Amino acid sequence: MSVEIIEKERIGEYKIVPAEVDNTAVLYDKLRSAQRLGNEFKSKTTIVFQTEDGSKRVETTVWSLTERYIQIKNGILIPLKSIIKVDF
């Protein structure tokens, strides 16, 4: 799988779509840890998500997590159904 690395400021340039497989249940605990790392330690997380233009990878701080979205800097929301992979 070829994944383009983008800056978090460019996420708004892409239409985010659901991934082929909904990994929400599998990744939720990892995303909760990413949120804690972001809020308490200002640590960044690598997130791979699906767009109409293919998979994109971004390194960012996760500020908040809901049942449907993660929120990163500048109020950008990424749907959980679009997330393919999460790494610390």
Side-chain angles (χ1 to χ4, degrees):
M1 169 171 65
S2 176
V3 179
E4 179 183 0
I5 301 168
I6 63 170
E7 297 294 322
K8 62 184 169 289
E9 294 82 9
R10 292 189 51 221
I11 291 175
E13 297 174 16
Y14 297 94
K15 181 173 181 185
I16 300 173
V17 297
E20 284 185 30
V21 176
D22 183 354
N23 292 311
T24 301
V26 175
L27 295 175
Y28 199 82
D29 286 337
K30 213 169 191 183
L31 290 166
R32 192 173 18 212
S33 295
Q35 177 189 4
R36 182 170 183 244
L37 286 170
N39 288 327
E40 294 180 23
F41 304 103
K42 306 301 182 227
S43 294
K44 295 190 179 204
T45 301
T46 300
I47 300 168
V48 178
F49 61 97
Q50 189 65 41
T51 72
E52 278 188 342
D53 299 320
S55 300
K56 306 296 178 203
R57 186 172 90 190
V58 66
E59 187 173 307
T60 188
T61 303
V62 176
W63 293 114
S64 66
L65 170 66
T66 69
E67 291 180 14
R68 297 179 58 205
Y69 298 94
I70 58 167
Q71 180 180 4
I72 62 172
K73 193 172 185 174
N74 297 328
I76 296 171
L77 299 174
I78 299 175
L80 299 184
K81 290 182 177 187
S82 300
I83 298 176
I84 299 167
K85 186 176 179 182
V86 176
D87 285 317
F88 306 114

